[in-house]
Amino acid sequence: MGLLADHRNQAAVLTLPLLDSSQPEHFPDPRNALRDPNGLLAFGGDLSPQRLLAAYAQGIFPWFNEEDPPLWWSPDPRCVFHTADLQANRSLRRQLAGKSWRLTIDHAFRQVVEACAAPRPGQSGTWIVPDMMDAYTTLYSLGHAHSVEVWEGDRLVGGIYGVAIGRLFCGESMFSRESGGSKLALIALAQLLRSWNFPLIDAQVSNPHLLSLGAAEYSRARFLRAVAQLTQLPGQPGSWVEFTPLLSGRLG
């Protein structure tokens, strides 16, 4: 969620399996991903809805720079949030006191993606390249990708987006234009998912910021077991716009 891919070992791509363009559902076994770079599994293919959904159902996600071919990953360990553990703590409540922020879901998906792709301090680029924006916007139009938005009046001040498959939510990125914006979006999403018996939000690659928000690390084997179970359960297909009224009551 929001990390810039590091491809110092570009030679590794030459030893990777090349995905078959005629078989969008087929991926190598994620247990065979490289140790260095951690989790790099395959390259090539496309970002079609069929391929993306097949990837997430197998614990795999795309992550690449604009000058690279599509690269597919399944790192070990895997970073996850437990939806039951994400609560608005006293510090966040104090921070939000007096603010007139409001929450929506699936109202401004493309705006959230574009905000997540915007340059950030200390980063020279983004992994959310134009092809990725278009691919996830297509998933959104098909009812598979979703965003939570935080507004101050008509100004978007925070948000998060990702992909739902079965009862697993695969977080892609989040952003803040005001302190607390992304955290509020994450907590609101987690509490709504909890009410639907979605136990996990996949946060992909661990970093200190995610861990400070309450993320945990799973071994790849443990994560893949969870993916295999959760993606086979009935989820919440289609747009989530109608659930916007539930968000403000899901922060306790």
Side-chain angles (χ1 to χ4, degrees), residues 173-193:
S173 191
M174 55 187 175
F175 80 98
S176 284
R177 289 176 177 152
E178 298 286 347
S179 180
S182 61
K183 189 171 184 180
L184 178 59
L186 173 64
I187 291 171
L189 172 65
Q191 294 307 300
L192 182 63
L193 293 173

Side-chain angles (χ1 to χ4, degrees), residues 46-168:
D46 55 29
L47 298 176
S48 68
Q50 295 86 350
R51 191 178 299 277
L52 286 170
L53 293 175
Y56 287 114
Q58 297 173 65
I60 300 162
F61 60 88
W63 196 25
F64 57 95
N65 292 322
E66 193 163 11
E67 66 272 15
D68 295 324
L71 301 176
W72 302 88
W73 303 76
S74 184
D76 189 8
R78 190 71 162 238
C79 190
V80 301
F81 287 102
H82 295 108
T83 60
D85 294 342
L86 280 166
Q87 309 285 342
N89 59 24
R90 185 178 301 174
S91 174
L92 181 62
R93 290 182 183 279
R94 283 200 303 267
Q95 187 178 11
L96 297 177
K99 292 186 181 295
S100 57
W101 289 0
R102 61 186 176 90
L103 291 156
T104 58
I105 190 163
D106 282 359
H107 278 61
F109 182 87
R110 183 72 181 212
Q111 287 177 254
V112 171
V113 175
E114 290 174 351
C116 289
R120 304 186 188 194
Q123 290 186 356
S124 59
T126 177
W127 58 272
I128 308 175
V129 299
D131 285 350
M132 293 278 269
M133 291 188 197
D134 292 343
Y136 286 90
T137 301
T138 298
L139 283 182
Y140 163 72
S141 70
L142 295 172
H144 300 297
H146 305 279
S147 60
V148 170
E149 305 94 17
V150 182
W151 303 89
E152 186 174 51
D154 293 330
R155 179 173 173 250
L156 190 62
V157 298
I160 184 171
Y161 79 95
V163 176
I165 180 165
R167 291 189 192 165
L168 176 69

Side-chain angles (χ1 to χ4, degrees), residues 155-249:
R155 179 173 173 250
L156 190 62
V157 298
I160 184 171
Y161 79 95
V163 176
I165 180 165
R167 291 189 192 165
L168 176 69
F169 191 89
C170 305
E172 281 297 308
S173 191
M174 55 187 175
F175 80 98
S176 284
R177 289 176 177 152
E178 298 286 347
S179 180
S182 61
K183 189 171 184 180
L184 178 59
L186 173 64
I187 291 171
L189 172 65
Q191 294 307 300
L192 182 63
L193 293 173
R194 180 184 177 186
S195 73
W196 293 337
N197 295 316
F198 282 58
L200 294 180
I201 298 174
D202 172 26
Q204 300 179 348
V205 180
S206 178
N207 67 28
H209 177 63
L210 294 177
L211 295 176
S212 75
L213 294 177
E217 291 183 336
Y218 275 20
S219 69
R220 183 194 290 125
R222 181 183 181 187
F223 178 75
L224 293 178
R225 287 195 297 270
V227 168
Q229 177 187 17
L230 295 175
T231 58
Q232 296 304 307
L233 296 175
Q236 286 285 347
S239 173
W240 291 356
V241 169
E242 66 184 285
F243 300 111
T244 287
L246 300 179
L247 291 181
S248 60

